[in-house]
Amino acid sequence: MNRARRRPSITTWLAIASIVTLVGGLAWLGWLARSDARRASMRVDRGETVTIEYELDDPHEFSTEERAAIAEVARQALPDIRRVLPQAPASIALRVSSAPKDKVAPETGDAADIAQPNIVRYRIDPTRKEGIVAIVRSLLRQTLFHEVHHLVRSAEIIEFTLHDELVLEGLATVFERDYGSVTPPPWGQYAPEVEDWAREILAQPKDASRAMWITRHPDGRRWLGYRAGTFIVDCASRASGKTSLELIYVPAATLVAMCPNLGTPREGDASAPR
């Protein structure tokens, strides 16, 4: 015998909806709690000058000793930077992660870059024999000087060309060398032929390869653009009587023009513009 199906009453529907809402709400609260825990696990040190964060899925779990060294160096460096560079952001977010050896400088075992308005991304190779603590204690301070300088200049001058990059790295390297380092970094040291290197880079198209002319040239020259840029800034500073800090917002073309003879081909200079 066929019987008509009874449809759920409004009360039943309301009860089902309440259960679904309750379950969904509990799941949402659980997700928020896990999310908060994940965010909290990233923030290992928060102070007036620097917040240090670590990648949640980083294959290397930074030890207590490693995190303590990073926090100590960063907390000491940022006030020192701000004393000589008051335009620096009031607080820096330092995002630390491990990296394979092909993603860091082979000379140092670390690397860094920035993201506006106040982020410095710092990468370390955890397989280096000297260890993370030694790398941090010898290099993080000067790295922060270099990268915070980038934050300050890049906030005012947006740079895209090879020539802009040359001056950008030169200014940051001089700042790092003069204020943040006990010994000049290898990319801040140059030989007598550096003027030829500067002229060679300036002769290239403005959209030429950054990696080739700034970091590593195919002929084996290392830190070519950093060293040439450092020379240009030193030259412009001597010629103008202005410190590197006073040149921080000078456009690249203007700063290069301050350096005598760089724009004038020398006899027999095969690298000079034609």
Side-chain angles (χ1 to χ4, degrees), residues 1 19 31 34 63 75 120 174 184-185 201 229 244 260 270:
M1 182 172 59
I19 292 171
W31 181 87
R34 289 193 299 271
S63 69
R75 282 199 302 264
V120 175
V174 169
I201 297 172
S244 60

Side-chain angles (χ1 to χ4, degrees), residues 28-271:
W28 175 249
L29 289 174
W31 181 87
L32 285 178
R34 289 193 299 271
S35 181
D36 287 342
R38 286 167 65 86
R39 284 195 296 268
S41 71
M42 290 183 66
R43 198 173 302 283
V44 299
D45 182 63
R46 184 177 182 87
E48 294 182 359
T49 60
V50 62
T51 296
I52 305 169
E53 300 175 351
Y54 295 85
E55 299 287 345
L56 293 172
D57 57 353
D58 196 315
H60 174 80
E61 184 175 350
F62 286 82
S63 69
T64 300
E65 182 185 11
E66 290 165 351
R67 293 187 181 197
I70 291 166
E72 179 184 349
V73 173
R75 282 199 302 264
Q76 292 175 356
L78 268 297
D80 291 344
I81 293 171
R82 196 164 292 105
R83 272 191 284 273
V84 292
L85 191 63
Q87 309 97 307
S91 181
I92 296 295
L94 177 61
R95 295 183 178 173
V96 181
S97 65
S98 66
K101 63 181 181 180
D102 63 336
K103 300 298 182 183
V104 298
E107 297 89 344
T108 64
D110 68 347
D113 59 16
I114 63 165
Q116 290 290 0
N118 69 330
I119 297 170
V120 175
R121 294 182 290 238
Y122 185 60
R123 301 177 296 282
I124 314 173
D125 176 6
T127 67
R128 298 276 291 210
K129 63 180 181 180
E130 59 264 57
I132 286 177
V133 171
I135 292 173
V136 166
R137 292 201 178 281
S138 63
L139 297 170
L140 178 55
R141 175 183 170 85
Q142 65 189 61
T143 297
L144 287 170
F145 271 75
H146 190 107
E147 300 302 328
V148 171
H149 188 284
H150 281 338
L151 283 172
V152 172
R153 179 173 171 88
S154 298
E156 297 293 329
I157 300 178
I158 301 175
E159 305 174 275
F160 296 104
T161 73
L162 175 65
H163 297 180
D164 293 328
E165 191 78 14
L166 180 68
V167 170
L168 176 76
E169 295 297 353
L171 283 166
T173 300
V174 169
F175 180 67
E176 168 190 3
R177 179 197 68 193
D178 292 350
Y179 298 98
S181 179
V182 176
T183 58
W187 45 87
Q189 303 174 39
Y190 48 81
E193 62 268 24
V194 70
E195 183 174 342
D196 293 334
W197 297 352
R199 294 161 68 85
E200 184 180 4
I201 297 172
L202 292 170
Q204 304 306 313
K206 291 186 176 183
D207 60 351
S209 168
R210 178 195 184 279
M212 175 176 172
W213 291 104
I214 300 296
T215 306
R216 185 187 294 276
H217 195 276
D219 65 13
R221 285 178 291 175
R222 187 74 165 117
W223 307 117
L224 186 63
Y226 286 78
R227 287 168 165 157
T230 300
F231 163 76
I232 290 172
V233 173
D234 285 341
C235 177
S237 182
R238 288 192 299 269
S240 66
K242 295 183 177 180
T243 68
S244 60
L245 286 175
E246 292 175 308
L247 298 173
I248 189 169
Y249 295 130
V250 174
T254 304
L255 195 146
V256 170
M258 293 178 180
C259 193
N261 301 322
L262 265 188
T264 305
R266 295 183 302 188
E267 185 177 354
D269 186 354
S271 66

